[in-house]
Amino acid sequence: MSASDVAAEWEAHLALAKRRSPHTVRAYVAAARRWLAHLPATDWSALARLEARDLRRQLARRRADGLSNASAARELSALKAFIAFAAERAGEEDPAPPRLRGPKVKRGIPRPVTPDEAEGLAAEVASTAREDWQGLRDQAVLLLLYGAGLRISEALSLTGDDLPQADRLTITGKGSKQRVVPIMPIVRDAVEVYAEACPHELTKDGALFRGARGGPLGQGAVQKAVARARTALGLPATATPHALRHSFATHLLGEGADLRSLQELLGHASLASTQIYTQVDAKTLLDTYRNAHPREQD
């Protein structure tokens, strides 16, 4: 079996069986292709027998290319999953990838925006868009991120059948996991106003948010609109669309939401991913205290 055949089966497994996101599929397949280029044999049995020292050798090659700790950790995760898949294809029962720890990665604390900054971003993108309906569209997308905690990919995957006419919306997130999120009136109204103004027909199976020519709206268009808005408002580069989702989580936690409920709302598979917001909230409170009670200078 050729390396191309192996990579093709790996890609199909990730996309169809595991339903990974397109970004994850690309990254995992690219990692496998790079490794396969250095391996003498590409049959499933040989790949299933790869050991920790083989992983170390490949990571050393990637490190020589200037790979960071975070990227090396992701590469290791991809290659371990690839070996486990090879073991399954080789017919092994209970396949276990080689035990090898990845590099330590310091998790950055998300930087939320304030409620006023979130409202300012939404208003700015609405007022400076080329067409009025595009401004209403971008504003609706940002309110879904900030008001419902959606990922940008989740907001842009909504269809005409998902128009939030009720007070709840069913979202399909990572790993095709579904969750129900509440939709506040201000968010629902923004989406409905956009839908009425959109010059393109919004079918039940078609994308809800449309680009200028009628195709599905891409993430890049939203990110560029936010970049222009934050520059106009003098906000830092950390004020991105994803920061609005962080803000949703941080502000809810600050209002007393418990971690389990927040985990469900955000669609996190692990509670550990949600716990990072406890650090964010503590930091926000500390910054507020310091700003309100500056120390006297000697």
Side-chain angles (χ1 to χ4, degrees):
M1 180 178 289
S2 69
S4 295
D5 291 335
V6 169
E9 287 200 34
W10 176 226
E11 182 174 8
H13 171 74
L14 291 168
L16 302 178
K18 293 296 186 181
R19 296 189 177 185
R20 301 297 189 191
S21 71
H23 175 75
T24 299
V25 172
R26 285 194 299 270
Y28 275 40
V29 172
R33 287 185 183 277
R34 285 190 291 266
W35 201 15
L36 288 168
H38 295 283
L39 297 176
T42 55
D43 61 277
W44 294 120
S45 295
L47 295 173
R49 291 194 297 270
L50 291 169
E51 300 176 350
R53 64 169 178 264
D54 301 304
L55 279 170
R56 290 193 190 94
R57 192 176 297 119
Q58 176 62 8
L59 288 179
R61 279 191 287 262
R62 296 287 288 134
R63 283 292 206 177
D65 295 334
L67 206 65
S68 67
N69 278 3
S71 296
R74 286 193 296 268
E75 186 103 352
L76 178 60
S77 178
L79 296 180
K80 282 184 176 181
F82 175 64
I83 293 175
F85 173 66
E88 289 179 1
R89 298 290 286 115
E92 293 188 11
E93 295 183 3
D94 299 324
R99 297 183 63 181
L100 179 63
R101 285 188 176 183
K104 291 184 178 180
V105 179
K106 183 179 180 181
R107 295 191 66 180
I109 297 177
R111 297 184 180 181
V113 298
T114 67
D116 286 344
E117 289 170 344
E119 292 175 10
L121 280 172
E124 183 69 16
V125 298
S127 64
T128 58
R130 181 174 300 177
E131 300 284 346
D132 288 344
W133 73 269
Q134 292 173 331
L136 294 172
R137 175 201 65 196
D138 294 344
Q139 184 178 47
V141 171
L142 296 189
L143 287 177
L144 279 168
L145 306 188
Y146 178 65
L150 302 193
R151 301 177 177 92
I152 187 171
S153 60
E154 293 170 344
L156 298 185
S157 68
L158 296 177
T159 66
D161 199 35
D162 291 317
L163 281 172
Q165 298 172 344
D167 59 355
R168 297 176 185 278
L169 188 62
T170 300
I171 299 298
T172 301
K174 290 185 176 180
S176 298
K177 182 180 178 181
Q178 289 191 325
R179 69 186 190 277
V180 176
V181 298
I183 300 296
M184 296 185 294
I186 188 174
V187 179
R188 182 179 64 245
D189 292 347
V191 174
E192 291 179 349
V193 168
Y194 151 70
E196 291 177 3
C198 181
H200 306 290
E201 182 183 4
L202 301 178
T203 60
K204 286 190 173 182
D205 297 329
L208 173 59
F209 295 108
R210 303 297 185 89
R213 297 182 180 180
L217 179 65
Q219 293 188 25
V222 180
Q223 291 164 342
K224 288 179 181 178
V226 171
R228 290 192 296 268
R230 70 168 175 256
T231 298
L233 296 172
L235 297 178
T238 53
T240 64
H242 199 63
L244 295 174
R245 172 172 154 89
H246 291 322
S247 303
F248 166 83
T250 304
H251 299 161
L252 276 183
L253 190 62
E255 291 295 324
D258 65 274
L259 283 175
R260 285 294 182 187
S261 298
L262 193 56
Q263 179 188 3
E264 289 296 322
L265 285 174
L266 293 172
H268 284 160
S270 168
L271 186 62
S273 298
T274 313
Q275 286 174 329
I276 193 170
Y277 291 107
T278 60
Q279 301 177 48
V280 178
D281 193 52
K283 183 179 184 301
T284 301
L285 289 174
L286 184 58
D287 288 345
T288 301
Y289 176 83
R290 285 173 173 166
N291 290 333
H293 306 280
R295 295 178 179 176
E296 293 184 0
Q297 300 296 321
D298 292 333

